[in-house]
Amino acid sequence: MATYSSQSIVDAIAAHIRKQGGAIGSWYAGIAADPVKRVFGDHAVPREHWWIHRQAYSSSEARAAEKALLDWGCDGGGGGGDENTVHVYAYLKSSATRP
């Protein structure tokens, strides 16, 4: 799987959000070691729902991208994970999803 810098991740996720539309705050952004488990399991995002993830070069790059997305206005909470947490994800919140 390709890996990306924090800025490349922010750019890709921002483009995805703009394509879908809606308020920035209606999107949840986070980091995970296993984004599929986190998004579809923990957050209960339906498979056909709008979501995106990218793998960062490192945990510090993932954290930088997450912080930038939260500072931009995405919902979410920073500070989770460990050194294996290199994936950044975002999904459109709905009545079916969990924070």
Side-chain angles (χ1 to χ4, degrees), residues 1 5 9-10 16 21 41-43 50 66-67 69 77 79 82 93 99:
M1 170 174 251
S5 69
I9 292 169
V10 170
H16 186 79
D42 298 340
H43 292 298
W50 279 84
E66 178 190 38
K67 182 179 182 326
L69 291 166
D82 59 21
K93 298 183 300 182

Side-chain angles (χ1 to χ4, degrees), residues 44-59:
V45 174
R47 294 260 176 194
E48 66 280 356
H49 209 70
W50 279 84
W51 77 288
I52 184 173
H53 92 278
R54 293 289 184 270
Q55 184 175 338
Y57 295 133
S58 66
S59 178

Side-chain angles (χ1 to χ4, degrees), residues 16-85:
H16 186 79
I17 290 171
R18 285 186 191 105
K19 181 178 177 182
Q20 191 284 327
I24 300 304
S26 65
W27 285 78
Y28 185 100
I31 57 175
D34 183 343
V36 172
K37 180 178 181 272
R38 184 78 173 128
V39 170
F40 299 120
D42 298 340
H43 292 298
V45 174
R47 294 260 176 194
E48 66 280 356
H49 209 70
W50 279 84
W51 77 288
I52 184 173
H53 92 278
R54 293 289 184 270
Q55 184 175 338
Y57 295 133
S58 66
S59 178
S60 61
E61 287 286 312
R63 290 173 196 287
E66 178 190 38
K67 182 179 182 326
L69 291 166
L70 297 178
D71 288 349
W72 185 40
C74 289
D75 190 16
D82 59 21
E83 68 277 353
N84 297 314
T85 307

